[in-house]
Amino acid sequence: MKKIMLTGDRPTGRLHVGHYVGSLRRRVELQNTGDFDDIFIMIADAQALTDNADNPEKVRQNIIEVALDYLACGLDPEKSTLLIQSQIPELCELSFYYMNLVTVSRLQRNPTVKSEIQMRNFEASIPVGFFTYPISQAADITAFKATTVPVGEDQMPMLEQTKEIVHKFNSVYGETLVEPKILLPENEACMRLPGIDGKAKMSKSLGNCIYLSEEPEDIKKKVFSMFTDPTHIRIGDPGKLEGNTVFTYLDAFCKPEYFPEFLPEYSNLDELKEHYKRGGLGDMKVKRFLNNVLQAELEPIRNRRKEFQKDIPAVYEILKKGSEKAEKAAAQTLKEVKDAMKINYFDDMELIQEQSKKFSE
Ligand code: TRP
């Protein structure tokens, strides 16, 4: 069986370091292994519209931002197909048929949908399109016969829903769809990178994000304002690592080679953590180290972004080409789906003959 990777993001803002450690970095690594027969990276504008119906301009403006962030991180259009969801009409058709295989109560139980309904104050009136977006996401995944979907933990319920649709479809209409596997981030810190204020999640409205395109001065300011351990007041006091944002970021970003480069008096992160816990290590020193690490990680990304920003028409062309290629793949799956469901009347000579016979008897 072919190995196909698919994943995507809603274009509602620039991507931040949470996206990076949660999925983007892994996508690029996987891309560069050459292990995959195909890679599809989707800018999920149609999904973004399910909760931004009244703000299409926001979605429209952010398509290029997300595309630039993708290219800046090292997604290579020669190796990965970058596409825009709304440009693949086959996805709507697939969703329409999958809707018959999912119950309302099953969607109501979806934890991600549940929490998003709360977050957006949709309790009183939930848009149908929003309510059914897990079905549309199942269409995204199955249309490209994805076997590997690298996403954050919050997408687990979407993958579960997709698998259920795959099983149901295959058992009712015969083996057609491919079951995807979720690929979660490598550690806790990457799974749930908090905002710089230590709050659960990075979000634009909380103003606690570090963006991939952030300028060096702003990265520094944000690192130095990070939440640490409020009980670690004097340098000599013992420090806590749990809930200490600076150490969470180090867990997500630190590589062994950064110690000889920026903090040679320690040989690894465990040693640094031990010293902090014991007492005698000040927050400023750890913050300075984290700043150096983040600057080293983000500089090449920011520079590549600036290169791509010089030719925006070329970026749109990459998305157009990618969307065209993706549509071909989705059209093939849609054909197989319609064949399996026997809604292929004009291609089915047997049906036409059978009906002729019936009416000539
Ligand atoms: N739901 C994802 C998010 O909010 C975006 C997305 C849309 C996606 N379609 C997808 C992710 C298919 C993986 C696979 O970020």
Side-chain angles (χ1 to χ4, degrees):
M1 195 171 65
K2 281 193 168 180
K3 282 182 78 176
I4 297 179
M5 172 165 101
L6 172 130
T7 185
D9 301 274
R10 298 181 189 186
T12 53
R14 289 186 174 202
L15 301 181
H16 51 61
V17 292
H19 294 114
Y20 185 67
V21 296
S23 163
L24 272 169
R25 179 168 68 185
R26 176 74 77 83
R27 295 177 203 175
V28 175
E29 279 165 18
L30 292 175
Q31 165 194 273
N32 295 337
T33 61
D35 273 356
F36 286 86
D37 296 290
D38 255 319
I39 300 174
F40 296 96
I41 310 289
M42 171 184 290
I43 301 181
D45 61 337
Q47 189 178 104
L49 286 167
T50 66
D51 66 335
N52 287 282
D54 52 357
N55 202 353
E57 196 52 30
K58 169 166 137 194
V59 174
R60 182 179 157 85
Q61 293 297 331
N62 280 305
I63 285 178
I64 191 78
E65 298 284 2
V66 172
L68 285 166
D69 284 330
Y70 282 168
L71 294 165
C73 285
L75 286 173
D76 174 356
E78 296 290 317
K79 297 179 187 155
S80 297
T81 304
L82 308 185
L83 65 124
I84 305 181
Q85 186 186 27
S86 63
Q87 303 307 297
I88 320 295
E90 286 80 1
L91 298 176
C92 302
E93 233 177 303
L94 288 172
S95 305
F96 190 65
Y97 297 125
Y98 295 170
M99 282 188 186
N100 302 328
L101 308 176
V102 180
T103 64
V104 170
S105 67
R106 176 64 183 86
L107 289 171
Q108 277 166 337
R109 270 187 280 119
N110 184 310
T112 308
V113 172
K114 260 187 177 164
S115 74
E116 285 178 324
I117 285 173
Q118 270 184 357
M119 249 161 57
R120 291 167 177 70
N121 292 321
F122 276 165
E123 280 104 336
S125 57
I126 308 168
V128 174
F130 174 80
F131 187 60
T132 56
Y133 94 75
I135 302 176
S136 133
Q137 189 157 333
D140 299 342
I141 295 168
T142 54
F144 302 102
K145 301 192 168 80
T147 51
T148 305
V149 183
V151 282
E153 202 184 24
D154 62 321
Q155 298 296 304
M156 231 141 62
M158 301 299 150
L159 267 288
E160 285 310 313
Q161 181 69 78
T162 304
K163 285 188 203 171
E164 282 176 36
I165 291 175
V166 168
H167 289 160
K168 184 96 198 211
F169 189 100
N170 288 349
S171 75
V172 176
Y173 303 114
E175 279 301 311
T176 313
L177 301 176
V178 177
E179 182 177 324
K181 276 205 184 61
I182 191 168
L183 191 61
L184 291 171
E186 50 264 57
N187 66 31
E188 268 305 297
C190 298
M191 197 95 85
R192 250 165 288 166
L193 195 73
I196 55 169
D197 54 0
K199 294 254 163 61
K201 225 182 159 179
M202 246 181 262
S203 102
K204 198 161 61 183
S205 51
L206 292 172
N208 63 355
C209 307
I210 297 178
Y211 295 97
L212 288 172
S213 49
E214 204 92 66
E215 289 297 328
E217 264 316 295
D218 298 319
I219 297 172
K220 192 170 164 193
K221 256 189 244 150
K222 290 184 178 180
V223 169
F224 280 87
S225 72
M226 264 186 189
F227 181 82
T228 57
D229 170 10
T231 65
H232 183 242
I233 299 164
R234 276 177 233 93
I235 292 188
D237 294 342
K240 270 205 302 287
L241 303 175
E242 303 81 55
N244 189 321
T245 317
V246 177
F247 279 98
T248 310
Y249 274 59
L250 284 175
D251 279 333
F253 282 100
C254 194
K255 294 181 191 149
E257 61 263 34
Y258 289 135
F259 281 94
E261 201 178 343
F262 302 124
L263 203 58
E265 56 271 45
Y266 298 86
S267 51
N268 57 46
L269 193 52
D270 285 337
E271 236 180 70
L272 189 73
K273 286 179 177 173
E274 280 313 311
H275 192 184
Y276 192 81
K277 282 200 289 196
R278 252 191 344 262
L281 173 58
D283 280 355
M284 284 312 271
K285 187 160 179 174
V286 191
K287 283 184 173 177
R288 233 173 302 157
F289 178 51
L290 174 63
N291 178 53
N292 284 326
V293 167
L294 277 184
Q295 298 288 355
E297 291 276 317
L298 297 182
E299 185 188 48
I301 297 176
R302 185 174 57 246
N303 291 344
R304 237 173 308 166
R305 198 185 209 268
K306 285 186 177 153
E307 282 308 305
F308 283 107
Q309 282 174 6
K310 289 181 187 157
D311 193 355
I312 293 297
V315 177
Y316 278 106
E317 193 57 32
I318 288 168
L319 296 175
K320 184 172 174 218
K321 288 261 160 58
S323 301
E324 281 163 9
K325 177 174 169 198
E327 191 184 359
K328 289 208 183 82
Q332 174 59 32
T333 304
L334 179 62
K335 185 182 177 317
E336 289 163 17
V337 160
K338 289 169 90 174
D339 282 348
M341 295 175 72
K342 299 197 178 298
I343 44 180
N344 55 349
Y345 316 113
F346 309 134
D347 297 336
D348 189 349
M349 282 309 134
E350 241 171 73
L351 170 76
I352 298 172
Q353 272 160 17
E354 184 188 302
Q355 296 298 326
S356 321
K357 214 148 100 221
K358 187 165 103 194
F359 287 100
S360 63
E361 270 158 14

